[in-house]
Amino acid sequence: MPTQTALSFRLPSTSSSKDLSKFTSFPSSLVTIKCILPLVKVMSSLMMPRLLQFMGSDNIPYQFLCKPKDDLQKDSRLIELFHFLNCMFCQDPEVCRQHLNIQTFAVVPLDHQCGLVEWVKNLEVFVAVSKAPIALMGSKACQMISSQA
């Protein structure tokens, strides 16, 4: 199953660096795709991505957004960078104590025009969250500009 957990690597901690022969970077037990469920939801955005559901070998349904006409290679690399930064954050005891991290999810480019994005439940898109503050700032900015003229 192409989830963030399955695609993420771990770095050895400084205490475990003595015996690296037993260290594994990736999870030992991986969930596989058992079947694709026939429930497909077409989203209402411009490219009309599809929300697909895969049944995992653990009998848990996993949701992915299939994005057509979108090259996800840069997105995938950015998520890898965020995961690497999270690993670096955990190496610093102060940062680790504060639980600072960047929320990541799986991005799997299938080719240059299509890919899968792991669905994150209860997530608000940036545009929806930022509309009101941007509108408020926009009106204030217009008032400041007109008062200075």
Side-chain angles (χ1 to χ4, degrees), residues 85-102:
L85 289 174
N86 285 339
C87 290
M88 294 292 100
F89 293 159
C90 286
Q91 298 294 322
D92 184 331
E94 179 62 23
V95 174
C96 195
R97 185 184 63 78
Q98 295 178 23
H99 304 289
L100 297 177
N101 69 341
I102 302 168

Side-chain angles (χ1 to χ4, degrees), residues 6-148:
L7 299 175
S8 298
F9 61 88
R10 293 182 312 125
L11 295 175
S13 66
T14 53
S15 60
S16 67
S17 61
K18 296 173 185 167
D19 188 18
L20 292 177
S21 62
K22 297 177 184 175
F23 180 78
T24 57
S25 295
F26 291 95
S28 56
S29 62
L30 295 176
V31 177
T32 58
I33 297 173
K34 184 176 178 180
C35 67
I36 300 174
L37 299 175
L39 307 169
V40 177
K41 179 180 179 183
V42 179
M43 308 305 274
S44 61
S45 64
L46 180 65
M47 295 298 171
M48 298 178 64
R50 279 86 170 152
L51 186 61
L52 307 174
Q53 290 192 36
F54 299 139
M55 182 59 72
S57 56
D58 57 356
N59 290 322
I60 296 173
Y62 293 85
Q63 293 182 311
F64 290 87
L65 192 66
C66 182
K67 294 188 76 177
K69 302 176 188 167
D70 196 356
D71 186 0
L72 296 176
Q73 292 180 353
K74 288 180 185 174
D75 302 63
S76 176
R77 295 294 177 239
L78 190 60
I79 293 295
E80 288 176 9
L81 173 65
F82 290 162
H83 179 71
F84 179 74
L85 289 174
N86 285 339
C87 290
M88 294 292 100
F89 293 159
C90 286
Q91 298 294 322
D92 184 331
E94 179 62 23
V95 174
C96 195
R97 185 184 63 78
Q98 295 178 23
H99 304 289
L100 297 177
N101 69 341
I102 302 168
Q103 179 65 47
T104 59
F105 49 88
V107 177
V108 183
L110 300 175
D111 64 18
H112 293 293
Q113 296 182 5
C114 184
L116 295 175
V117 177
E118 183 177 11
W119 188 257
V120 180
K121 292 183 181 185
N122 303 320
L123 182 73
E124 292 289 332
V125 293
F126 181 74
V127 173
V129 174
S130 62
K131 274 186 181 177
I134 288 173
L136 182 63
M137 286 174 33
S139 64
K140 286 183 180 180
C142 290
Q143 289 172 359
M144 288 175 51
I145 290 170
S146 62
S147 67
Q148 293 176 356

